[in-house]
Amino acid sequence: MTRYESVAAAPAQSTLALSQLLLSNASYTGTADHDLLSLHWPSPPRNVLLLSKDYSHAASIALVEFAQHITSSYPNLSLITDPSHAQTLFNALSSLVPIASIPSSPPITTTHKTNSTSDTSNLLTQKTDLVATFGGDGTILRASSLFSTSPSVPPILSFAMGTLGFLGEWKFKDYKRAFREVYMSGAPGTLLDEEPLVSNSRATAKKSADDLASPADKEIRSGPWASLRGYSLGPSRPSRVLLRHRLKVGITHNSPSPTSPSETPPHYTTHALNEVLLHRGRSPHLLHISVTLNGRPLTQAVADGILISTPTGSTAYNLSAGGSIIHPLVPSLLLTPICPRSLSFRPLVLPAGVDVGLRVDKGGNRGWRDVEVSVDGVRVGSEGGKKGSRNGVEEWGSGNGGVLEIRVTGEQLQAPGCNSGEGNGGKGWSGGVPCVMRPGEKGAPGDDGWVGGLTDLLKFNYPFGEEG
């Protein structure tokens, strides 16, 4: 394999066999003093996926500057990026830095045929240690979507360079510190300097370093962290991670048994970080949507559509539609109608484990052919012939069947029996989207940035008429 190669185009066996694409396997453990998790690397991370905001010159420049720094300061790093930046990095970096290119389209698993983008998602999961994003909330959603068919997502280090940046944690000017903290997170102890302060020769320097080193330091210098110099954060100061909930989404369409579509395996499965939207599309007619909770009928909604959101997505489309704001650590999902005909249909906050079903029948829906489904802002279409297709996405109502059903439930974040590192093969917490958090301004280790986001970015309860 050459230095610059497409992950999707390369045969899986040749890509998986590359030594530079070995995985370090991050793990997360609970903490006693706050609700954020601790990030631990058993060995230094090797593969970093870089993504920037589309059509942003500043974000692209930041991506290249970041790549130049980490590849020159940290050994044995490989970079993964999208095709639009792969060639740029190829020209800007040393010829010894491996660079891999990936497609950026969000994957969906289908039961009808093998989906190459789903295979790419699985390969990315196997080969990506860390994700760094340069942009706004949309860039983070795009990063999450690349792993939407995988049960786990690598930790995401986000730099706020977008319009709002509610999810973005770090300012780009702090990128050296940010990456250092993530890279060294959980490294055992102190890494000695390559040259002690008092030394007249390399032999004397080596002897002095060996004399000064404790047994733990000597073990570090011969272990996986041996190639690093300087001081680590130490095992007691790991990076803090907020594990954001995802939705598990299954979509069934054109069921041969319209009376019992819930018994049909979903044609499409994916995960969502923000929300799932069922909408009337370009049709001027309201949708008639049957809503069930754990299989029990809740209501027959007549509305423009319905949103099912995560706590992370509660400050997105859900907020504009009148839904509640939920803290990202609360295991829940939100059911929010969009312009319902009935004023008594209010938004609901439900436990994360509830199975929510949305069903649209052809009968009684004059706008059946125009029904749209989107996941995290990306429209999802059915497969089939060109009949009824628009913008390359097949419409759900274009087939011969008469039922569309969406099943949504919250993803389980903790493996059964897992408690602060126990269970799950000793890996601790699993699932969700792990986001690396910036330390609080006042040094509070458990500051998740949520309050600051509400007050500074969303202007929560901002007095009317006052200038900011």
Side-chain angles (χ1 to χ4, degrees):
M1 180 177 176
T2 60
R3 175 184 167 226
Y4 169 41
E5 181 172 329
S6 171
V7 170
Q13 59 271 24
S14 65
T15 303
L16 294 175
L18 292 175
S19 60
Q20 69 265 33
L21 290 182
L22 295 177
L23 195 64
S24 183
N25 285 321
S27 63
Y28 314 98
T29 57
T31 53
D33 55 343
H34 54 79
D35 292 326
L36 299 181
L37 304 181
S38 298
L39 170 64
H40 296 273
W41 301 103
S43 60
R46 296 179 176 93
N47 310 315
V48 182
L49 172 61
L50 305 179
L51 297 173
S52 76
K53 180 180 180 180
D54 290 335
Y55 311 112
S56 171
H57 183 62
S60 296
I61 292 177
L63 184 148
V64 174
E65 181 179 343
F66 181 83
Q68 289 174 329
H69 168 69
I70 65 174
T71 54
S72 62
S73 303
Y74 300 88
N76 304 321
L77 277 181
S78 300
L79 302 181
I80 309 171
T81 190
D82 52 54
S84 63
H85 292 98
Q87 187 62 47
T88 302
L89 291 180
F90 181 85
N91 296 330
L93 303 179
S94 166
S95 60
L96 299 178
V97 178
I99 302 173
S101 174
I102 58 164
S104 57
S105 58
I108 294 178
T109 297
T110 171
T111 58
H112 289 310
K113 62 179 71 174
T114 301
N115 193 311
S116 60
T117 53
S118 178
D119 295 339
T120 301
S121 176
N122 294 331
L123 183 58
L124 274 177
T125 303
Q126 298 169 15
K127 296 302 177 183
T128 305
D129 289 311
L130 176 69
V131 181
T133 64
F134 308 84
D137 297 349
T139 310
I140 299 176
L141 291 177
R142 177 181 162 209
S144 174
S145 72
L146 293 175
F147 304 91
S148 60
T149 60
S150 302
S152 61
V153 180
I156 297 179
L157 176 64
S158 58
F159 296 96
M161 302 184 69
T163 305
L164 182 61
F166 189 74
L167 302 182
E169 276 300 309
W170 294 82
K171 297 182 183 301
F172 182 70
K173 64 183 180 65
D174 299 324
Y175 73 89
K176 294 182 180 180
R177 170 197 170 196
F179 187 79
R180 180 72 177 179
E181 290 189 4
V182 173
Y183 188 90
M184 302 302 299
S185 184
T190 302
L191 305 178
L192 295 180
D193 290 332
E194 186 175 3
E195 300 262 342
L197 295 177
V198 182
S199 61
N200 295 323
S201 67
R202 291 188 178 274
T204 304
K206 184 178 187 302
K207 184 177 184 302
S208 300
D210 291 339
D211 292 340
L212 293 172
S214 66
D217 290 330
K218 292 179 180 179
E219 180 180 354
I220 294 168
R221 298 181 72 171
S222 61
W225 303 90
S227 59
L228 298 175
R229 291 296 178 262
Y231 291 93
S232 75
L233 299 177
S236 62
R237 293 180 57 198
S239 288
R240 304 305 185 189
V241 169
L242 172 61
L243 209 53
R244 296 185 179 274
H245 296 253
R246 291 193 300 178
L247 300 175
K248 296 173 62 177
V249 184
I251 305 176
T252 305
H253 69 101
N254 298 331
S255 170
S257 302
T259 57
S260 58
S262 60
E263 299 177 0
T264 304
H267 295 90
Y268 301 88
T269 58
T270 188
H271 288 86
L273 175 58
N274 254 13
E275 77 268 317
V276 179
L277 167 65
L278 174 64
H279 193 263
R280 62 181 174 84
R282 60 183 178 181
S283 170
H285 305 291
L286 296 176
L287 280 181
H288 294 249
I289 308 170
S290 299
V291 184
T292 62
L293 301 181
N294 291 331
R296 300 185 60 182
L298 173 67
T299 187
Q300 177 81 11
V302 182
D304 280 352
I306 287 183
L307 275 170
I308 302 178
S309 309
T310 63
T312 294
S314 67
T315 53
Y317 196 169
N318 168 79
L319 183 60
S320 299
S324 300
I325 300 177
I326 306 296
H327 192 284
L329 288 174
V330 179
S332 57
L333 53 83
L334 298 90
L335 178 67
T336 306
I338 302 174
C339 299
R341 185 174 66 181
S342 172
L343 297 180
S344 62
F345 189 178
R346 310 311 302 161
L348 299 177
V349 179
L350 305 168
V354 170
D355 185 341
V356 180
L358 305 179
R359 172 174 165 169
V360 178
D361 297 324
K362 184 176 181 179
N365 279 288
R366 288 179 288 177
W368 163 257
R369 292 179 56 85
D370 298 310
V371 172
E372 293 185 359
V373 179
S374 66
V375 176
D376 284 345
V378 178
R379 186 180 169 200
V380 179
S382 65
E383 294 182 346
K386 296 183 178 180
K387 178 182 178 182
S389 63
R390 187 166 77 251
N391 298 327
V393 180
E394 182 73 9
E395 296 177 23
W396 291 105
S398 62
N400 296 322
V403 175
L404 167 64
E405 185 177 48
I406 303 175
R407 305 292 296 276
V408 180
T409 188
E411 181 184 31
Q412 290 290 337
L413 292 190
Q414 192 177 21
C418 173
N419 184 15
S420 297
E422 300 176 0
N424 194 27
K427 295 183 180 180
W429 290 70
S430 62
V433 179
C435 296
V436 180
M437 307 302 292
R438 183 183 70 253
E441 294 181 359
K442 298 182 179 180
D447 184 8
D448 52 37
W450 187 73
V451 173
L454 285 183
T455 56
D456 297 337
L457 296 177
L458 296 185
K459 306 298 182 183
F460 181 74
N461 197 31
Y462 197 73
F464 179 76
E466 292 190 9
E467 297 182 359

